[in-house]
Amino acid sequence: MKSLRDIILPVINDIQSGKKTIEVSELWGASKALFLSGLQRQAKRPVVIVTATEEEAGTLIEDLRFFGENKGLFTAEEAEKDEGGGRVEARISFFPSWGVLPFEADSPDSRTVGERMRFLYHLISGTPGIYIVPARALVQKLPPWNVFADSVKTISAETQLDPEELVRSLASTGYESASLVSRTGEFSRRGGIIDFFSPLHENPVRLEFSGDAIESMREFDPETQRSITGIKEAIVLPVRELIINEKGIERLTGRINDESLIDQIKQGLLPPGGEFLAPFFYDMESLFEYLPENSLFALIEPDDVKKSIEEQTNKIADGRQEETEEGRRLPEANELYHDLPGIETGIAKFPAINLFLLGTGAGYRMDTKSAAWLGVRLTKPMDEEHDAAKAIDGTMGGLVEKLRRLRETDRVAIVCSTDEGAARLKKLLLEYGLGAVLGPAAMQDSGPQPVTVTTGRLSDGFSWPEIGITYITEEEIFGRKVHAPRGGARPSKIAPFLSTFKELKPGDFVVHTDYGVGEYQGLTHISVDEFETDFLSLRYEPDVKLHVPLYSLDKVQKYIGAEGLAPKLDRLGAPTWARTKEKVRKDILEMAQQLVAVYAARESMERTVFSSPDNLYREFESAFPYEETPDQQKAIEDVLADMQRPRPMDRLVCGDVGYGKTEVALRAAFKAVEDGFQAAVLVPTTLLADQHFRTFSERVANFSISVDMLSRFRTKSEQKETLRKLKNGSVDIVIGTHRLLQKDVAFKNLGLLVVDEEHKFGVKHKERIKEFKKLVDVLTLTATPIPRTLHLSLAGMRDLSIIQTPPLDRQAIQVVLARFGKRVVREAITHELERGGQVFFVHNRVQGIERMADFVQNLVPEAKVGTAHGQMEGDEIEDVMSRFVNGALNVLVTTTIIESGIDIPTANTIIINRADRFGLADLYQIKGRVGRSREKAYAYLLTPADELLSDTARKRLRAIQELSELGAGFRIAAQDLETRGAGN
């Protein structure tokens, strides 16, 4: 049996012999990442990988990282050779495109540019590694190599440096001034201290000056602001791609006749989209000029790459024409971009490997197989007898038999996304008598080995018989999951404060948990016992200051009250604040005492307990297509624990729309049905009933569970048949509106009632729900609990679970701030429709909404456009929404009536017109309408093209950026907001 090194060496020999183009085919799934990782490992030269799209690049990066972290993939002989040769672990670098339309009057985000600059720095520094470049990024030209190199500053502890000069340099290369440095591309100055966050460093850097001498240089934690470690050197990379110097300004003056623009640039102010003027400053160069001479190219599906380049070239031509027609002075397209022949000429200077899934027959055919061909997908529930001999395809027993046969010839690894999932799968395999071990994928030993269950991220599994390895992902067994982005932000105790800190300015009110309401006075640098750090200065009555160290930020929150009303400051040291907190406690306890008698009877009742989770439940659990958030997992465990107690459950699960409450209900319903009971799900609207019916039916499809629906979407004869089946027990789960509460509805053995948004039902309906609570377990789901319901839970008379962690899939939303314009709207809608999705267009004015719908329809003729607003009749709104849900419409021009309600997984783009008119909470809620599936989601916040934004509107839109950054994956083209309007 060959090793991976044996497979790759002939390819490397061809390269070393001078062959310019080599074809490699039949690399299925993640096997191409394994091949490329081994290629770089053996070639020991930079490998530049070109993909057709950024999405493909992201997937490839995840796979490359997985194989880079699993060193057991290589034989002991290979590992020994690498160690003997002093091999350095390959760096994986990504070169993103700007993310704005060609020649658009918007600028790329400083962090996006920072990532590009980090990529270039590693290239020119000779860092060994793998460099991934999407086709769109390859098209765009770059500043000259020498201009970029001159803009990189190296600061050492011995450097003599004028602090004023450093601040000017940071500002001129795109760094934004901030009160508190917490993200790449920011800097701040407080006296003799300068903080900055360079793209090259994992943490921000703090310099302390004494005159022009640097007294200390250290990295610090962006959350706590506390020092981590001292450093000897810091590298400052630009975070703006237009690098301005005196020579460039002279050239600009000779090429354009716009004194106002020239004066603005001389003052360090770059207009929105100013980066597109770069050819006026210097002759642009291509990425090829930055590459080391020994670089090696690898093109993933070259035909797709070529098509992507041609599409981008067309967008460039269209964009320049539209912008010049609006009077903008722009360089020629070929000054800023490459065309396809130019790129082909650049690649031809280097040896290139073309990777095809289905090749022409030339070159090297790797003969891998997709893991899907192995037939490991579970499509049926486990055999109740757990008898592997009777197993059939699609069952757990059948899977175990396939794995048992595979491991006779291959080293088999199953990749799970979480440690919990890996442990769960290992337990399942062991219970079916198959040897399984947890740990990294060790592929070095020969002969039959236990199946390895490892943790990581792998896009798709594969089998490679020639080298005797098989990889299977848990998704190929249990179905697709949505993952949190790698390295995504994790919740921290100070995250809620950081989300509002950026909005604070001196004079704003804050609340300290120990001292009450105070006035924020700004940051102060204080030396205490020879230890210097930063403090928040808060003013209390009577004009007394409290200094709060930054590591205690979790005790401080911005004051939230009625707009325009100033609160009374608390008196430092006075008992007023303590009395206020004590009064609230007493009010809650008093209400609890009044209501406790109502629920005392329920405590004394008993019913048959439900069984604990078994293998069948674990299989259902594993089929959940998302990673559970910690809060969601805790809510599920709470519900299951309630069901295993003798008293009936009455639990409230509170969480924002889309935070995973439905899955909590699904787990409870599955457990009830598994134990021989029926479950009913009560919802307030027919649309929500239809949505839940689809969700429940899809989730339990492989488990022989019958799901039906009672609503006005069903005919009278269909309703009659459903009632008959409920009575005889042939329906296990029923989803319905208030129709479920009518007297003619009878169940054979109801064990669980799920109530979604109880507060939306009328008084009579709630009385009927109370009758159910005396007989069966009741689980109530809500996003907005009424005060009495919430108080009951907080007082301990109703069990409460709160899901406050955003779902992991939400972190894929990309927020774009842009000017309103035909090209932006058309591009956003067309991009979504081309991938088969749907679009929300929010225009929050009923007057004129039809004109806006006509505008959208004329702009994108192929779109199927509908409108919805609050002045329509209820049946009209329901009809339009139903058509949108069912796909009869793919663009919905609507007001904010969509800010809460049904989930539409195919709607992954939302365009919010006049975003500057919305409140912060409204924007955050509306934005959450998209991003409910695996697809990358986009939220476009459009501002007027020809109006000045107020300072308040600018701060509100900036705050959306900061709130979004508590997750991950957001881009803000926000220089537009900084330069438009008066003041800073």
Side-chain angles (χ1 to χ4, degrees):
M1 186 176 293
K2 293 182 178 180
S3 69
L4 182 61
R5 182 171 178 269
D6 295 332
I7 297 286
I8 291 171
L9 275 180
V11 179
I12 294 178
N13 290 337
D14 279 355
I15 293 169
Q16 291 175 345
S17 66
K19 194 169 184 179
K20 278 294 186 180
T21 305
I22 302 168
E23 179 178 307
V24 176
S25 61
E26 299 291 333
L27 285 168
W28 288 85
S31 65
K32 61 177 171 287
L34 176 57
F35 172 82
L36 291 167
S37 180
L39 179 71
Q40 195 282 327
R41 186 185 187 97
Q42 299 299 329
K44 296 180 175 61
R45 57 165 72 187
V47 176
V48 181
I49 304 172
V50 183
T51 63
T53 66
E54 298 207 13
E55 288 76 11
E56 290 176 31
T59 300
L60 183 61
I61 288 169
E62 291 287 355
D63 291 344
L64 287 166
R65 283 175 173 160
F66 175 83
F67 292 120
E69 292 165 0
N70 282 271
K71 299 178 179 62
L73 289 168
F74 302 92
T75 66
E77 180 186 359
E78 291 173 299
E80 185 179 342
K81 286 182 179 180
D82 284 336
E83 289 178 10
R87 180 179 180 275
V88 179
E89 188 63 37
R91 177 185 296 275
I92 299 171
S93 299
F94 176 56
F95 195 57
S97 63
W98 275 3
V100 294
L101 293 173
F103 295 110
E104 179 70 15
D106 280 316
S107 294
D109 175 42
S110 60
R111 284 151 300 166
T112 299
V113 177
E115 189 169 4
R116 289 167 59 88
M117 297 296 99
R118 183 168 63 245
F119 180 99
L120 297 180
Y121 178 81
H122 289 314
L123 269 183
I124 68 174
S125 301
T127 306
I130 298 175
Y131 297 87
I132 295 107
V133 184
R136 187 181 301 177
L138 193 61
V139 169
Q140 189 168 329
K141 293 184 179 181
L142 299 165
W145 186 95
N146 63 308
V147 172
F148 168 74
D150 290 344
S151 69
V152 176
K153 295 190 180 302
T154 302
I155 302 173
S156 65
E158 295 80 22
T159 303
Q160 289 288 316
L161 182 64
D162 181 359
E164 295 291 342
E165 176 59 32
L166 176 59
V167 167
R168 283 194 296 269
S169 175
L170 290 169
S172 68
T173 52
Y175 286 78
E176 298 178 13
S177 178
S179 302
L180 189 71
V181 172
S182 62
R183 63 186 181 96
T184 302
E186 288 183 337
F187 80 95
S188 70
R189 182 180 184 184
R190 299 178 303 282
I193 295 177
I194 297 176
D195 295 344
F196 63 87
F197 204 156
S198 171
L200 200 64
H201 292 270
E202 292 185 4
N203 295 294
V205 174
R206 177 165 294 154
L207 305 178
E208 294 192 30
F209 285 87
S210 176
D212 290 351
I214 298 175
E215 288 196 333
S216 74
M217 179 188 301
R218 57 188 185 271
E219 288 189 344
F220 64 91
D221 188 320
E223 284 195 350
T224 66
Q225 300 290 301
R226 301 187 74 174
S227 295
I228 299 174
T229 182
I231 56 176
K232 296 181 178 180
E233 186 178 83
I235 307 294
V236 184
L237 298 184
V239 289
R240 187 172 65 205
E241 206 149 324
L242 175 57
I243 301 170
I244 300 173
N245 52 32
E246 291 297 328
K247 187 176 180 180
I249 292 178
E250 289 179 11
R251 172 166 164 156
L252 173 71
T253 305
R255 289 203 55 178
I256 66 171
N257 185 23
D258 188 336
E259 290 297 329
S260 175
L261 174 62
I262 293 171
D263 289 341
Q264 186 179 356
I265 290 173
K266 285 181 177 179
Q267 295 171 25
L269 301 174
L270 193 67
E275 288 82 358
F276 291 102
L277 303 177
F280 291 155
F281 290 80
Y282 35 66
D283 292 328
M284 306 292 283
E285 292 183 356
S286 69
L287 179 64
F288 306 112
E289 272 74 41
Y290 282 77
L291 295 176
E293 292 181 357
N294 66 335
S295 297
L296 167 64
F297 267 86
L299 280 71
I300 310 295
E301 298 295 342
D303 293 340
D304 292 343
V305 171
K306 179 179 177 180
K307 181 181 177 183
S308 181
I309 292 171
E310 290 173 339
E311 289 175 351
Q312 182 68 1
T313 302
N314 292 334
K315 289 180 181 179
I316 290 166
D318 293 343
R320 187 181 186 283
Q321 181 178 343
E322 289 187 24
E323 293 297 323
T324 51
E325 287 174 356
E326 293 183 9
R328 287 183 65 197
R329 177 79 167 88
L330 294 169
E332 296 296 327
N334 61 6
E335 293 183 272
L336 193 57
Y337 295 100
H338 276 300
D339 55 13
L340 182 60
I343 290 174
E344 290 176 337
T345 300
I347 293 176
K349 298 175 183 177
F350 305 89
I353 298 175
N354 293 328
L355 276 75
F356 294 94
L357 187 58
L358 300 174
T360 63
Y364 296 91
R365 184 174 180 272
M366 295 301 166
D367 198 24
T368 68
K369 293 181 175 62
S370 167
W373 294 358
L374 301 175
V376 295
R377 178 74 165 94
L378 294 185
T379 57
K380 299 169 186 174
M382 300 177 191
D383 300 353
E384 292 182 5
E385 300 83 7
H386 299 277
D387 187 348
K390 297 180 181 178
I392 57 174
D393 283 349
T395 67
M396 190 66 192
L399 168 66
V400 168
E401 280 302 300
K402 287 185 172 71
L403 294 176
R404 189 172 280 123
R405 289 194 298 268
L406 272 172
R407 71 175 186 173
E408 294 297 321
T409 55
D410 288 7
R411 295 157 292 177
V412 180
I414 301 178
V415 184
C416 297
S417 56
T418 63
D419 292 336
E420 295 79 8
R424 187 165 57 218
L425 181 57
K426 178 198 171 187
K427 183 179 179 182
L428 273 174
L429 295 176
L430 290 175
E431 288 179 354
Y432 272 82
L434 182 69
V437 294
L438 289 177
M443 294 298 187
Q444 296 175 6
D445 299 322
S446 60
Q449 297 291 321
V451 171
T452 300
V453 183
T454 188
T455 303
R457 295 287 176 81
L458 200 63
S459 61
D460 293 288
F462 61 91
S463 175
W464 201 333
E466 195 172 6
I467 58 177
I469 62 172
T470 294
Y471 274 93
I472 302 169
T473 69
E474 65 173 334
E475 298 179 333
E476 284 154 340
I477 298 174
F478 298 109
R480 285 290 182 184
K481 291 184 181 292
V482 174
H483 301 295
R486 183 187 180 98
R490 296 292 181 187
S492 71
K493 67 177 185 175
I494 67 165
F497 179 81
L498 288 177
S499 68
T500 56
F501 181 83
K502 298 294 183 89
E503 303 172 65
L504 283 179
K505 60 182 184 297
D508 286 346
F509 298 102
V510 296
V511 181
H512 192 289
T513 55
D514 297 331
Y515 303 105
V517 179
E519 181 184 342
Y520 174 62
Q521 299 276 292
L523 285 174
T524 305
H525 192 72
I526 301 176
S527 177
V528 179
D529 295 331
E530 298 184 355
F531 175 75
E532 295 190 357
T533 188
D534 293 307
F535 293 80
L536 269 71
S537 293
L538 311 180
R539 185 179 72 84
Y540 286 84
E541 291 291 345
D543 199 22
V544 176
K545 282 192 176 182
L546 173 70
H547 297 293
V548 181
L550 293 180
Y551 56 78
S552 296
L553 290 183
D554 56 307
K555 292 190 173 185
V556 184
Q557 282 286 302
K558 185 176 181 181
Y559 173 81
I560 301 173
E563 192 170 346
L565 296 179
K568 181 181 179 182
L569 296 185
D570 282 302
R571 192 178 185 90
L572 203 63
T576 310
W577 178 243
R579 286 200 299 264
T580 299
K581 292 196 291 185
E582 184 61 28
K583 183 176 184 300
V584 172
R585 291 193 189 98
K586 287 183 177 179
D587 288 345
I588 293 175
L589 288 174
E590 183 179 347
M591 185 185 66
Q593 291 168 357
Q594 294 172 356
L595 296 173
V596 71
V598 177
Y599 285 83
R602 185 177 71 89
E603 291 292 332
S604 63
M605 292 176 60
E606 289 192 7
R607 55 104 170 97
T608 303
V609 299
F610 290 89
S611 64
S612 58
D614 57 8
N615 278 351
L616 189 62
Y617 176 86
R618 295 301 179 197
E619 184 181 344
F620 177 76
E621 180 180 55
S622 297
F624 182 45
Y626 301 83
E627 290 181 23
E628 297 92 344
T629 64
D631 294 345
Q632 187 184 31
Q633 185 63 45
K634 178 65 166 59
I636 292 169
E637 292 169 358
D638 290 343
V639 169
L640 291 176
D642 286 350
M643 295 176 75
Q644 294 171 57
R645 296 191 182 105
R647 67 173 175 82
M649 173 175 65
D650 186 13
R651 179 168 291 276
L652 172 68
V653 176
C654 181
D656 201 356
V657 176
Y659 273 38
K661 301 186 298 295
T662 302
E663 180 63 19
V664 178
L666 264 161
R667 303 280 177 95
F670 184 88
K671 174 45 65 181
V673 172
E674 189 186 11
D675 282 15
F677 293 90
Q678 293 169 297
V681 182
L682 181 65
V683 298
T685 67
T686 52
L687 276 175
L688 199 53
D690 186 60
Q691 174 186 300
H692 278 330
F693 175 68
R694 293 167 186 262
T695 302
F696 274 69
S697 298
E698 181 180 339
R699 279 287 280 118
V700 304
N702 297 330
F703 294 87
S704 303
I705 293 176
S706 171
V707 183
D708 212 333
M709 180 171 66
L710 268 180
S711 77
R712 67 184 187 85
F713 279 165
R714 296 294 173 94
T715 64
K716 287 187 177 181
S717 61
E718 288 174 330
Q719 291 186 36
K720 186 176 180 180
E721 178 64 13
T722 300
L723 292 175
R724 185 186 68 79
K725 290 181 177 179
L726 283 174
K727 192 170 184 178
N728 67 27
S730 55
V731 168
D732 299 308
I733 301 174
V734 63
I735 318 291
T737 57
H738 59 276
R739 177 72 179 84
L740 274 179
L741 301 175
Q742 294 178 8
K743 296 293 184 180
D744 63 337
V745 179
F747 296 87
K748 181 181 181 180
N749 190 19
L750 183 65
L752 172 70
L753 174 67
V754 178
V755 183
D756 199 352
E757 301 294 358
E758 182 180 1
H759 66 279
K760 293 185 178 180
F761 292 94
V763 175
K764 290 184 178 179
H765 298 146
K766 289 179 181 177
E767 290 300 319
R768 178 75 169 134
I769 293 171
K770 285 182 182 178
E771 293 178 19
F772 276 105
K773 290 184 180 181
K774 298 174 184 177
L775 307 171
V776 300
D777 285 22
V778 177
L779 178 63
T780 304
L781 313 176
T782 185
T784 53
I786 57 176
R788 178 174 292 269
T789 301
L790 189 56
H791 282 316
L792 281 171
S793 299
L794 293 175
M797 286 168 291
R798 293 188 72 179
D799 297 315
L800 172 68
S801 295
I802 298 177
I803 304 177
Q804 58 184 350
T805 305
L808 300 177
D809 59 317
R810 289 283 187 92
Q811 298 176 9
I813 300 177
Q814 180 169 314
V815 176
V816 180
L817 303 186
R819 300 177 308 132
F820 181 90
K822 290 182 179 180
R823 192 152 61 104
V824 171
V825 174
R826 182 173 60 243
E827 178 74 14
I829 295 175
T830 302
H831 176 264
E832 187 60 54
L833 298 189
E834 284 177 349
R835 61 178 184 168
Q838 295 172 286
V839 179
F840 288 113
F841 189 107
V842 179
H843 179 79
N844 204 30
R845 291 288 185 273
V846 174
Q847 293 180 343
I849 195 169
E850 294 294 341
R851 289 196 302 274
M852 183 57 72
D854 290 340
F855 168 79
V856 171
Q857 185 68 78
N858 292 330
L859 200 60
V860 189
E862 66 272 23
K864 294 173 285 188
V865 182
T867 58
H869 57 79
Q871 293 183 14
M872 298 169 67
E873 295 294 331
D875 289 347
E876 287 183 280
I877 295 177
E878 198 167 81
D879 178 64
V880 170
M881 293 304 299
S882 178
R883 290 167 62 203
F884 190 65
V885 169
N886 295 325
L889 301 173
N890 52 23
V891 178
L892 187 66
V893 181
T894 176
T895 58
T896 55
I897 61 170
I898 56 134
E899 66 182 337
S900 63
I902 61 175
D903 290 343
I904 306 176
T906 53
N908 284 303
T909 292
I910 187 166
I911 302 169
I912 305 174
N913 191 30
R914 289 310 303 260
D916 53 302
R917 289 179 172 174
F918 287 84
L920 181 61
D922 292 332
L923 280 175
Y924 199 66
Q925 177 80 355
I926 295 169
K927 177 177 64 67
R929 287 292 89 209
V930 297
R932 305 299 182 88
S933 71
R934 292 180 60 87
E935 295 292 334
K936 188 174 183 63
Y938 298 86
Y940 291 81
L941 309 185
L942 301 186
T943 58
D946 54 356
E947 292 185 23
L948 296 180
L949 285 184
S950 69
D951 189 55
T952 302
R954 213 166 44 240
K955 288 180 179 177
R956 187 182 303 126
L957 293 174
R958 172 67 75 181
I960 279 290
Q961 172 189 9
E962 306 305 335
L963 286 172
S964 298
E965 285 169 0
L966 296 180
F970 290 84
R971 181 189 66 78
I972 305 294
Q975 283 86 339
D976 192 4
L977 304 178
E978 293 296 335
T979 54
R980 196 190 305 148
N984 293 316

